[in-house]
């Protein structure tokens, strides 16, 4: 049974996730930084460093949202970054951000489905995702399509929430994500379901070695998991 934002609706997970992000898009960046105490910015910087020696020229940012990970990837000096997302609301916020910063020629933002990417095989030097893979309706299908559009020798870097395992972080994180996070999210975004969905989707996500197993299954090799901040999130790396 897949975890969905709106349990009273019959729509697919994909449609519900798009609706949820459309609803919260105006407040998303603010909430992200507040709820993670700003650590998400540091996590993104760390994740991008794993591509430094690869010097990718063409990068695909999946579930780009408002484009924060794409902007972070500019330190790699690529020729172009293409961001795709299923939420037009998030993309609209992202495009405003790119224009404000004069980045619209460097970062393109397109409506697109991670499980059916409209790009040819072997196109990108790197494929990156931050906090997006656990929203895939079909995880294996989404990862397989990422693998397809990556050129041989190219790398994927995925940043995603995971579940802390050790005491007392496990207990503290559980309390925070189940009690505090939904209340703050509800207050700021006015979408009651969005921040209840977040801890539920993290709980249901196959993190650590389980996620590496899925990456290997779709073809990635040299897979690595790097836990961050007591295991609250992890960086996953795989090569084609």
């Amino acid at each position: 049974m897949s975890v969905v934002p709106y349990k009273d609706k019959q729509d697919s997970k994909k449609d519900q996730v798009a609706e949820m992000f459309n609803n919260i898009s105006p407040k998303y960046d603010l909430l992200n930084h507040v709820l993670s105490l700003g650590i998400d910015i540091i996590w993104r910087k760390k994740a991008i460093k794993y591509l430094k020696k690869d010097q990718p020229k063409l990068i695909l940012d999946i579930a780009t949202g408002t484009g924060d990970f794409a902007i972070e990837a500019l330190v790699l000096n690529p020729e172009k970054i293409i961001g795709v997302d299923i939420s037009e609301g998030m993309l609209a916020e992202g495009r405003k951000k790119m224009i404000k910063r004069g980045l619209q020629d460097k970062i393109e933002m397109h409506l697109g489905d991670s499980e059916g990417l409209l790009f040819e095989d072997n196109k990108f030097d790197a494929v990156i995702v931050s906090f997006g893979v656990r929203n895939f309706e079909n995880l294996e299908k989404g990862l397989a399509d990422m693998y397809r559009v990556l050129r041989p020798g190219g790398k994927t870097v995925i940043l995603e929430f995971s579940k802390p395992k050790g005491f007392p972080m496990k207990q503290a994180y559980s309390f925070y994500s189940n009690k505090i996070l939904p209340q703050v999210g509800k207050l700021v975004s006015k979408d009651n379901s969005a921040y209840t969905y977040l801890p539920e989707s993290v709980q249901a996500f196959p993190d650590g070695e389980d996620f590496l197993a899925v990456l290997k299954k779709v073809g990635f090799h040299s897979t690595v998991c790097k836990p961050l901040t007591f295991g609250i999130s992890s960086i996953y790396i795989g090569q084609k």
Side-chain angles (χ1 to χ4, degrees):
M1 181 68 185
S2 76
V3 173
V4 293
Y6 307 109
K7 295 172 184 60
D8 54 340
K9 294 191 177 179
Q10 298 305 307
D11 303 1
S12 69
K13 177 173 178 175
K14 195 173 294 174
D15 290 342
Q16 290 200 27
V17 165
E19 182 186 344
M20 177 189 81
F21 281 116
N22 285 338
N23 288 345
I24 65 174
S25 56
K27 303 282 190 202
Y28 179 77
D29 282 348
L30 169 71
L31 269 169
N32 229 8
H33 304 327
V34 167
L35 292 172
S36 72
L37 311 174
I39 303 169
D40 64 308
I41 299 164
I42 297 161
W43 290 340
R44 285 191 184 89
K45 286 184 192 305
K46 281 194 172 168
I48 289 300
K49 277 184 183 158
Y50 287 102
L51 286 169
K52 204 169 178 192
K53 68 177 194 303
D54 301 272
Q55 293 295 291
K57 291 295 159 216
L58 184 61
I59 301 173
L60 176 64
D61 180 26
I62 294 206
T64 189
T66 64
D68 276 355
F69 208 30
I71 291 168
E72 204 53 66
L74 289 173
V75 299
L76 302 168
N77 200 26
E79 286 163 13
K80 174 83 72 181
I81 301 172
I82 297 175
V84 295
D85 202 282
I86 57 170
S87 164
E88 191 51 69
M90 295 287 273
L91 290 167
E93 294 296 321
R95 288 188 194 110
K96 279 188 249 175
K97 197 188 285 185
M98 298 312 156
I99 290 165
K100 200 172 166 185
R101 299 182 186 201
L103 298 173
Q104 65 272 36
D105 294 337
K106 203 85 166 154
I107 300 173
E108 288 178 15
M109 305 191 84
H110 300 286
L111 193 64
D113 180 1
S114 52
E115 293 161 45
L117 295 164
L118 302 174
F119 302 107
E120 64 268 26
D121 298 0
N122 311 316
K123 181 179 174 74
F124 294 93
D125 302 312
V127 178
I128 60 175
V129 195
S130 71
F131 309 115
V133 290
R134 73 174 195 291
N135 297 322
F136 287 3
E137 190 160 50
N138 182 325
L139 181 61
E140 211 173 292
K141 195 175 169 194
L143 294 175
D145 219 33
M146 285 164 54
Y147 182 84
R148 177 185 67 77
V149 300
L150 193 59
R151 67 161 177 78
K155 204 179 265 181
T156 187
V157 173
I158 297 165
L159 177 59
E160 190 50 89
F161 287 115
S162 44
K163 301 178 277 289
K165 307 283 189 283
F167 177 85
M169 202 58 204
K170 182 182 175 181
Q171 288 72 12
Y173 179 73
S174 175
F175 176 77
Y176 176 73
S177 60
N178 292 305
K179 297 282 185 279
I180 296 169
L181 195 144
Q183 292 307 318
V184 178
K186 183 174 161 182
L187 200 70
V188 179
S189 75
K190 307 288 185 277
D191 186 313
N192 297 2
S193 307
Y195 290 86
T196 310
Y197 165 75
L198 179 69
E200 286 174 356
S201 64
V202 172
Q203 211 49 47
F205 184 71
D207 60 348
E209 289 299 322
D210 294 336
F211 184 67
L212 290 183
V214 188
L215 279 177
K216 286 176 195 155
K217 190 178 177 187
V218 302
F220 287 101
H221 67 86
S222 310
T223 55
V224 185
C225 171
K226 306 270 185 188
L228 301 166
T229 319
F230 311 107
I232 292 172
S233 74
S234 300
I235 297 167
Y236 301 95
I237 302 148
Q239 205 158 355
K240 180 168 176 177

